[in-house]
CSV table of all heavy atoms in Angstrom, one decimal:
chain,number,residue,atom,x,y,z
A,1,SER,N,20.1,-33.1,-100.2
A,1,SER,CA,18.8,-32.6,-99.7
A,1,SER,C,17.7,-33.5,-100.2
A,1,SER,O,16.6,-33.4,-99.6
A,1,SER,CB,18.6,-31.2,-100.2
A,1,SER,OG,18.6,-31.1,-101.6
A,2,ALA,N,17.9,-34.4,-101.2
A,2,ALA,CA,16.9,-35.2,-101.7
A,2,ALA,C,16.4,-36.2,-100.6
A,2,ALA,O,15.3,-36.7,-100.6
A,2,ALA,CB,17.4,-36.0,-102.9
A,3,LEU,N,17.3,-36.6,-99.7
A,3,LEU,CA,16.9,-37.6,-98.7
A,3,LEU,C,15.8,-37.0,-97.8
A,3,LEU,O,14.9,-37.6,-97.4
A,3,LEU,CB,18.1,-38.0,-97.8
A,3,LEU,CG,17.9,-39.1,-96.9
A,3,LEU,CD1,19.2,-40.0,-96.8
A,3,LEU,CD2,17.5,-38.6,-95.5
A,4,ALA,N,16.0,-35.7,-97.4
A,4,ALA,CA,15.0,-35.0,-96.5
A,4,ALA,C,13.6,-35.0,-97.2
A,4,ALA,O,12.6,-35.2,-96.6
A,4,ALA,CB,15.5,-33.6,-96.1
A,5,ASP,N,13.7,-34.7,-98.5
A,5,ASP,CA,12.4,-34.7,-99.3
A,5,ASP,C,11.8,-36.0,-99.4
A,5,ASP,O,10.6,-36.2,-99.2
A,5,ASP,CB,12.7,-34.2,-100.7
A,5,ASP,CG,11.4,-34.0,-101.6
A,5,ASP,OD1,10.6,-33.2,-101.2
A,5,ASP,OD2,11.3,-34.7,-102.6
A,6,LEU,N,12.6,-37.1,-99.6
A,6,LEU,CA,12.1,-38.4,-99.6
A,6,LEU,C,11.5,-38.8,-98.2
A,6,LEU,O,10.4,-39.4,-98.2
A,6,LEU,CB,13.2,-39.4,-100.0
A,6,LEU,CG,12.8,-40.9,-100.0
A,6,LEU,CD1,11.7,-41.1,-101.1
A,6,LEU,CD2,14.0,-41.8,-100.3
A,7,ALA,N,12.1,-38.4,-97.1
A,7,ALA,CA,11.6,-38.7,-95.8
A,7,ALA,C,10.3,-38.1,-95.6
A,7,ALA,O,9.3,-38.7,-95.0
A,7,ALA,CB,12.6,-38.3,-94.8
A,8,HIS,N,10.2,-36.8,-96.0
A,8,HIS,CA,8.9,-36.1,-95.8
A,8,HIS,C,7.8,-36.8,-96.6
A,8,HIS,O,6.7,-37.0,-96.1
A,8,HIS,CB,9.1,-34.7,-96.4
A,8,HIS,CG,7.8,-33.9,-96.4
A,8,HIS,ND1,7.2,-33.4,-95.2
A,8,HIS,CD2,7.0,-33.5,-97.4
A,8,HIS,CE1,6.1,-32.8,-95.6
A,8,HIS,NE2,5.9,-32.8,-96.9
A,9,ARG,N,8.0,-37.2,-97.8
A,9,ARG,CA,7.0,-37.9,-98.6
A,9,ARG,C,6.6,-39.3,-98.0
A,9,ARG,O,5.5,-39.7,-98.2
A,9,ARG,CB,7.5,-38.0,-100.0
A,9,ARG,CG,7.7,-36.7,-100.7
A,9,ARG,CD,8.0,-36.9,-102.2
A,9,ARG,NE,8.3,-35.6,-102.9
A,9,ARG,CZ,8.2,-35.5,-104.2
A,9,ARG,NH1,7.8,-36.5,-104.9
A,9,ARG,NH2,8.5,-34.3,-104.7
A,10,ALA,N,7.6,-39.9,-97.4
A,10,ALA,CA,7.4,-41.3,-96.9
A,10,ALA,C,6.8,-41.2,-95.5
A,10,ALA,O,6.3,-42.2,-94.9
A,10,ALA,CB,8.7,-42.1,-96.9
A,11,GLY,N,6.7,-40.0,-94.9
A,11,GLY,CA,6.2,-39.9,-93.5
A,11,GLY,C,7.1,-40.4,-92.4
A,11,GLY,O,6.6,-40.8,-91.4
A,12,VAL,N,8.4,-40.3,-92.6
A,12,VAL,CA,9.3,-40.6,-91.5
A,12,VAL,C,10.3,-39.4,-91.3
A,12,VAL,O,10.3,-38.6,-92.2
A,12,VAL,CB,10.2,-41.9,-91.9
A,12,VAL,CG1,9.2,-43.1,-92.1
A,12,VAL,CG2,11.0,-41.7,-93.1
A,13,SER,N,10.9,-39.4,-90.2
A,13,SER,CA,11.9,-38.3,-89.9
A,13,SER,C,13.1,-38.5,-90.7
A,13,SER,O,13.5,-39.6,-91.1
A,13,SER,CB,12.2,-38.2,-88.4
A,13,SER,OG,13.0,-39.3,-88.1
A,14,SER,N,13.8,-37.4,-91.0
A,14,SER,CA,15.0,-37.4,-91.8
A,14,SER,C,16.1,-38.2,-91.0
A,14,SER,O,16.9,-38.9,-91.6
A,14,SER,CB,15.5,-36.0,-92.1
A,14,SER,OG,14.6,-35.3,-92.9
A,15,ARG,N,16.1,-38.0,-89.6
A,15,ARG,CA,17.1,-38.7,-88.8
A,15,ARG,C,16.9,-40.2,-88.9
A,15,ARG,O,17.9,-41.0,-89.0
A,15,ARG,CB,17.0,-38.2,-87.4
A,15,ARG,CG,17.5,-36.8,-87.2
A,15,ARG,CD,17.2,-36.3,-85.8
A,15,ARG,NE,18.0,-37.0,-84.8
A,15,ARG,CZ,17.9,-36.8,-83.5
A,15,ARG,NH1,17.2,-35.8,-83.0
A,15,ARG,NH2,18.7,-37.5,-82.6
A,16,GLN,N,15.7,-40.6,-88.8
A,16,GLN,CA,15.4,-42.1,-88.9
A,16,GLN,C,15.8,-42.6,-90.3
A,16,GLN,O,16.4,-43.7,-90.4
A,16,GLN,CB,13.9,-42.3,-88.6
A,16,GLN,CG,13.5,-43.8,-88.6
A,16,GLN,CD,12.1,-44.0,-88.4
A,16,GLN,OE1,11.2,-43.5,-89.1
A,16,GLN,NE2,11.7,-44.8,-87.4
A,17,LEU,N,15.4,-41.9,-91.3
A,17,LEU,CA,15.7,-42.4,-92.7
A,17,LEU,C,17.2,-42.4,-92.9
A,17,LEU,O,17.7,-43.3,-93.6
A,17,LEU,CB,15.0,-41.6,-93.7
A,17,LEU,CG,15.1,-42.1,-95.2
A,17,LEU,CD1,14.6,-43.5,-95.3
A,17,LEU,CD2,14.3,-41.2,-96.1
A,18,THR,N,17.9,-41.4,-92.4
A,18,THR,CA,19.4,-41.4,-92.6
A,18,THR,C,20.0,-42.7,-91.9
A,18,THR,O,20.9,-43.3,-92.5
A,18,THR,CB,20.0,-40.2,-91.9
A,18,THR,OG1,19.4,-39.0,-92.6
A,18,THR,CG2,21.5,-40.2,-92.0
A,19,SER,N,19.5,-43.0,-90.7
A,19,SER,CA,20.0,-44.2,-90.0
A,19,SER,C,19.7,-45.5,-90.9
A,19,SER,O,20.5,-46.3,-91.0
A,19,SER,CB,19.3,-44.3,-88.7
A,19,SER,OG,19.7,-45.5,-88.0
A,20,TRP,N,18.5,-45.5,-91.4
A,20,TRP,CA,18.1,-46.7,-92.3
A,20,TRP,C,19.0,-46.7,-93.5
A,20,TRP,O,19.5,-47.8,-93.9
A,20,TRP,CB,16.7,-46.6,-92.7
A,20,TRP,CG,15.7,-46.8,-91.6
A,20,TRP,CD1,15.9,-46.9,-90.3
A,20,TRP,CD2,14.2,-46.9,-91.8
A,20,TRP,NE1,14.7,-47.1,-89.6
A,20,TRP,CE2,13.7,-47.0,-90.5
A,20,TRP,CE3,13.4,-46.8,-92.9
A,20,TRP,CZ2,12.3,-47.2,-90.3
A,20,TRP,CZ3,12.0,-46.9,-92.7
A,20,TRP,CH2,11.5,-47.1,-91.4
A,21,ALA,N,19.3,-45.6,-94.1
A,21,ALA,CA,20.1,-45.5,-95.3
A,21,ALA,C,21.5,-46.0,-95.1
A,21,ALA,O,22.1,-46.7,-95.9
A,21,ALA,CB,20.1,-44.1,-95.9
A,22,VAL,N,22.1,-45.6,-94.0
A,22,VAL,CA,23.4,-46.0,-93.6
A,22,VAL,C,23.5,-47.5,-93.4
A,22,VAL,O,24.4,-48.2,-93.8
A,22,VAL,CB,23.9,-45.3,-92.4
A,22,VAL,CG1,25.3,-45.8,-91.9
A,22,VAL,CG2,24.1,-43.8,-92.7
A,23,ALA,N,22.5,-48.0,-92.7
A,23,ALA,CA,22.4,-49.5,-92.4
A,23,ALA,C,22.3,-50.3,-93.7
A,23,ALA,O,23.0,-51.3,-93.9
A,23,ALA,CB,21.2,-49.8,-91.5
A,24,TRP,N,21.5,-49.7,-94.7
A,24,TRP,CA,21.4,-50.4,-96.0
A,24,TRP,C,22.7,-50.4,-96.7
A,24,TRP,O,23.1,-51.4,-97.4
A,24,TRP,CB,20.2,-49.8,-96.8
A,24,TRP,CG,20.0,-50.6,-98.0
A,24,TRP,CD1,20.5,-50.5,-99.2
A,24,TRP,CD2,19.0,-51.7,-98.1
A,24,TRP,NE1,20.1,-51.4,-100.1
A,24,TRP,CE2,19.1,-52.2,-99.5
A,24,TRP,CE3,18.2,-52.3,-97.3
A,24,TRP,CZ2,18.4,-53.2,-99.9
A,24,TRP,CZ3,17.4,-53.4,-97.7
A,24,TRP,CH2,17.5,-53.8,-99.0
A,25,ARG,N,23.3,-49.2,-96.7
A,25,ARG,CA,24.6,-49.1,-97.5
A,25,ARG,C,25.6,-50.0,-96.9
A,25,ARG,O,26.4,-50.6,-97.7
A,25,ARG,CB,25.0,-47.6,-97.3
A,25,ARG,CG,26.3,-47.3,-98.1
A,25,ARG,CD,26.9,-46.0,-97.8
A,25,ARG,NE,27.3,-45.8,-96.4
A,25,ARG,CZ,27.6,-44.7,-95.8
A,25,ARG,NH1,27.6,-43.6,-96.5
A,25,ARG,NH2,28.0,-44.7,-94.5
A,26,GLU,N,25.7,-50.2,-95.6
A,26,GLU,CA,26.7,-51.0,-95.0
A,26,GLU,C,26.5,-52.5,-95.1
A,26,GLU,O,27.4,-53.3,-95.2
A,26,GLU,CB,27.0,-50.5,-93.6
A,26,GLU,CG,27.4,-49.1,-93.4
A,26,GLU,CD,28.8,-48.8,-94.0
A,26,GLU,OE1,29.5,-49.8,-94.3
A,26,GLU,OE2,29.1,-47.7,-94.2
A,27,ALA,N,25.2,-52.9,-94.9
A,27,ALA,CA,24.9,-54.3,-94.8
A,27,ALA,C,23.6,-54.8,-95.4
A,27,ALA,O,23.2,-55.9,-95.2
A,27,ALA,CB,24.9,-54.7,-93.3
A,28,GLY,N,23.0,-53.9,-96.3
A,28,GLY,CA,21.8,-54.4,-97.0
A,28,GLY,C,20.6,-54.6,-96.0
A,28,GLY,O,20.5,-54.0,-95.0
A,29,ALA,N,19.8,-55.6,-96.5
A,29,ALA,CA,18.6,-55.9,-95.7
A,29,ALA,C,18.9,-56.4,-94.3
A,29,ALA,O,18.2,-56.1,-93.3
A,29,ALA,CB,17.8,-57.0,-96.5
A,30,ALA,N,20.0,-57.2,-94.1
A,30,ALA,CA,20.3,-57.7,-92.8
A,30,ALA,C,20.7,-56.6,-91.9
A,30,ALA,O,20.3,-56.5,-90.7
A,30,ALA,CB,21.5,-58.7,-92.9
A,31,GLY,N,21.5,-55.6,-92.4
A,31,GLY,CA,21.8,-54.5,-91.6
A,31,GLY,C,20.6,-53.6,-91.2
A,31,GLY,O,20.6,-53.1,-90.0
């Protein structure tokens, strides 16, 4: 649930931040 809280504070949607997080986990900045 911490991801949703972080998304709210950053002003982005949870779905968008989840997509970004997965991309970072799989391939870092390039992903």
